[in-house]
Amino acid sequence: MDELFEQVIVGKLTLPNRLVMAPMTRSRAIGGLVTDLTAEYYGQRAAAGLIITEGIQPSVIGQGYIDTPGLHSPEQVEAWRRVTDAVHGGGGRIFAQLMHSGRIGHPSLYPDGALPVAPSAVASGGQIFTREGMLDHPTPREMTLADIAATVEDFVAAARNAMAAGFDGVELHAANGYLLHQFLCGSANVRSDSYGGSVENRIRFTAEVVGAVTDAIGPERVGVRISPANPNNGIREHDPAEVYPALMRALAPFEPAYVHIMEFDRELTELVRAAWPGTLILNPGDTAEERVGEAAAVLREGLCDAVSLGALWLANPDLPERVKAGGPYNEPDPAFFYGGDHRGYTDYPTLGAR
């Protein structure tokens, strides 16, 4: 496993290892504000080469789930400062994942009861968990050109707020069926203007967001997450082999710190790797032991420069120590993935506590 413990440069950061903590929604931010418990959770995992936070909405209309955090108000900035202080106090590095959910939202989430917005008025076909139970995602409102321009600025403002909150950078979420991914996908984006139709048009919005954010806070502080062929949230991509190499070519001039792939298709990962000239983080694998083995294998093969793991970090705050020891690994408890208190959040034991 030596490959996992080599240093790697990401932007202007030198990561002490290549074990990245993947973003994971935890739904414990009541009213959009993270808490001291959030600071403890991330601080416990400061041994990661890099922590990427749970998805953070850049605007009110960007929220897609209950009790997810934002970065669009002074109170939210101040709350996140406690988290970044905890991580930096433990010697770690942390990027804020900025996630606009697009059509994966619901009027019950917004103070004015508005419809969620999306590239086109095409519903996801899925449902959302609310305090009233499961409800269907509504048909979203198609974004106007003015909406698109305003949303680019929302991402910029949230990125600047992330810097004010002490983050080392931001990751722009263009994966998992959320807004940027919706623009990339021909079944979710049926626009007939310059943001829809051709591959060149469908990648335009993501490229504009990346360009604007890198200009605002510096390219070395910006990462981009993608998930080619990911069917989550009603996404059906018919041409990912054309879209993602084209997207990499469009993003390359902005020189973001990294691209982060949530892998669904190894051939598409290889296409992205061939097209992307910069640092690549890959989220591969399956079960706990297989993920660790696969993480080392993809690094040996040169498929990526660092690996991100999710559930292993959730359940093992001392993951690097456990990898070096060959395990054992705590098993994550799905009953406590979303919402709740410290249980299944900050109470997973370290090796020394066993």
Side-chain angles (χ1 to χ4, degrees):
M1 299 296 176
D2 290 349
E3 299 86 354
L4 297 171
F5 295 97
E6 296 173 352
Q7 292 184 345
V8 62
I9 295 174
V10 175
K12 289 187 177 180
L13 297 175
T14 299
L15 310 189
N17 62 62
R18 302 185 184 222
L19 287 164
V20 174
M21 179 174 164
M24 292 173 282
T25 293
R26 303 308 306 271
S27 295
R28 284 168 164 84
I30 308 300
L33 293 171
V34 293
T35 66
D36 288 340
L37 200 61
T38 315
E40 181 182 358
Y41 166 73
Y42 284 113
Q44 288 175 339
R45 290 154 178 81
L50 175 67
I51 293 172
I52 305 169
T53 71
E54 60 211 276
I56 303 171
Q57 53 260 15
S59 61
V60 171
I61 199 68
Q63 185 172 357
Y65 303 96
I66 62 172
D67 298 335
T68 55
L71 257 175
H72 51 83
S73 75
E75 295 78 15
Q76 291 166 345
V77 171
E78 183 61 29
W80 277 112
R81 169 63 76 174
R82 299 198 296 274
V83 174
T84 60
D85 283 349
V87 172
H88 293 150
R93 296 136 300 276
I94 183 167
F95 271 39
Q97 189 191 67
L98 302 183
M99 183 182 97
H100 191 305
S101 295
R103 69 182 184 177
I104 307 304
H106 194 273
S108 64
L109 296 171
Y110 317 126
D112 59 358
L115 285 172
V117 297
S120 301
V122 178
S124 74
Q127 292 187 312
I128 180 176
F129 175 79
T130 73
R131 303 192 198 284
E132 290 73 46
M134 298 300 294
L135 298 175
D136 292 339
H137 287 138
T139 299
R141 178 176 66 80
E142 180 173 306
M143 295 171 72
T144 65
L145 294 180
D147 291 328
I148 290 172
T151 302
V152 172
E153 290 307 309
D154 286 340
F155 274 103
V156 168
R160 288 184 170 136
N161 283 341
M163 296 300 97
F167 283 99
D168 298 295
V170 302
E171 178 177 278
L172 303 172
H173 199 348
N176 295 9
Y178 300 118
L179 183 64
L180 299 185
H181 197 184
Q182 291 160 27
F183 269 89
L184 297 174
C185 174
S187 65
N189 177 358
V190 295
R191 301 175 72 96
S192 58
D193 62 6
S194 61
Y195 289 93
S198 68
V199 169
E200 179 184 11
N201 285 354
R202 281 183 279 133
I203 67 175
R204 189 184 309 278
F205 179 57
T206 299
E208 288 181 353
V209 171
V210 174
V213 173
T214 56
D215 185 59
I217 66 171
E220 72 280 3
R221 297 185 177 94
V222 180
V224 183
R225 196 180 206 208
I226 58 173
S227 58
N230 181 351
N232 287 4
N233 290 314
I235 290 293
R236 299 291 180 269
E237 293 188 291
H238 65 277
D239 56 355
E242 289 75 45
V243 168
Y244 289 94
L247 179 63
M248 295 303 99
R249 291 190 292 271
L251 299 188
F254 303 122
E255 300 182 330
Y258 65 83
V259 165
H260 179 192
I261 301 177
M262 184 175 182
E263 186 175 58
F264 280 78
D265 184 297
R266 180 54 56 88
E267 290 185 4
L268 289 173
T269 298
E270 292 169 347
L271 282 176
V272 172
R273 180 60 163 173
W276 178 243
T279 299
L280 188 71
I281 300 172
L282 183 62
N283 186 193
D286 196 34
T287 64
E289 287 78 4
E290 288 173 352
R291 278 189 186 136
V292 173
E294 177 71 356
V298 294
L299 285 172
R300 281 195 301 272
E301 294 165 10
L303 192 60
C304 60
D305 302 289
V307 290
S308 70
L309 301 171
L312 269 175
W313 273 113
L314 184 154
N316 298 277
D318 57 344
L319 183 60
E321 182 180 352
R322 290 176 182 271
V323 172
K324 288 178 179 178
Y329 299 101
N330 297 323
E331 287 295 322
D333 187 343
F336 298 103
F337 279 0
Y338 306 109
D341 52 22
H342 68 285
R343 291 170 296 175
Y345 193 51
T346 59
D347 63 347
Y348 285 103
T350 60
L351 274 177
R354 293 177 68 85

